[in-house]
Amino acid sequence: MKVIVSQYGRAFVAIMIAGIILMAMGGIRSGVELAKLYHGSNAVFTETDAFLKFRSREGITASYLTDCPIVAKEKVVIANHFAGKNSLGETVQLNLIYVESDSGQTIGPQEGITGQWVEIENPGVYTFYFEGTDANGNICEIHIAVPVQSQLPQEAAISRRPTEECI
């Protein structure tokens, strides 16, 4: 042991002193600051075109189809009144979570042969909360505020003749 210390002791002490001097000159006081030196390595990934294109993509967007107005006390088939698209413009299925009125009352969706539907009792502005999954498997929550019209008088309802998409 004495032989090893006498042979390599001076070299070990010299290396320790050199390391302390380098740390003092570089301003490195801990491992956290050492990690800051490598922080710029992520810049390579942020500047690639593929990453910028991916980062600029938006999630799912939902739109209200104004061709089919929502009328109080009528069955509202969700697929006939709302459409969803992902960032590539592809159609995405929207799942209705719930509908909320201005007063805070919530209405849950019903399931049927035609898909999800709700029936809103009173006219007003209602917020529809949807959930959709994009091509990458990301789940997005979207909400849309939509006006609900009052029920039409019987004479006007007969002349309205809704298109098949609205039913």
Side-chain angles (χ1 to χ4, degrees), residues 1 6 14 17 38 46 64 71 91 103 136:
M1 186 73 174
S6 67
I17 291 172
Y38 294 100
T46 58
Y64 170 57
V71 179
T91 302
S103 63
N136 295 325

Side-chain angles (χ1 to χ4, degrees), residues 72-130:
K73 298 184 181 178
E74 288 186 7
K75 183 178 178 180
V76 178
V77 178
I78 300 304
N80 296 339
H81 294 276
F82 298 93
K85 293 189 182 251
N86 64 12
S87 60
L88 301 174
E90 301 166 340
T91 302
V92 174
Q93 180 178 351
L94 296 174
N95 296 317
L96 181 65
I97 303 169
Y98 64 94
V99 180
E100 184 177 34
S101 68
D102 283 341
S103 63
Q105 178 188 9
T106 60
I107 304 166
Q110 304 290 321
E111 293 286 333
I113 297 171
T114 57
Q116 291 183 314
W117 61 276
V118 292
E119 189 170 325
I120 298 173
E121 291 296 317
N122 300 315
V125 177
Y126 289 80
T127 304
F128 287 73
Y129 289 86
F130 294 100

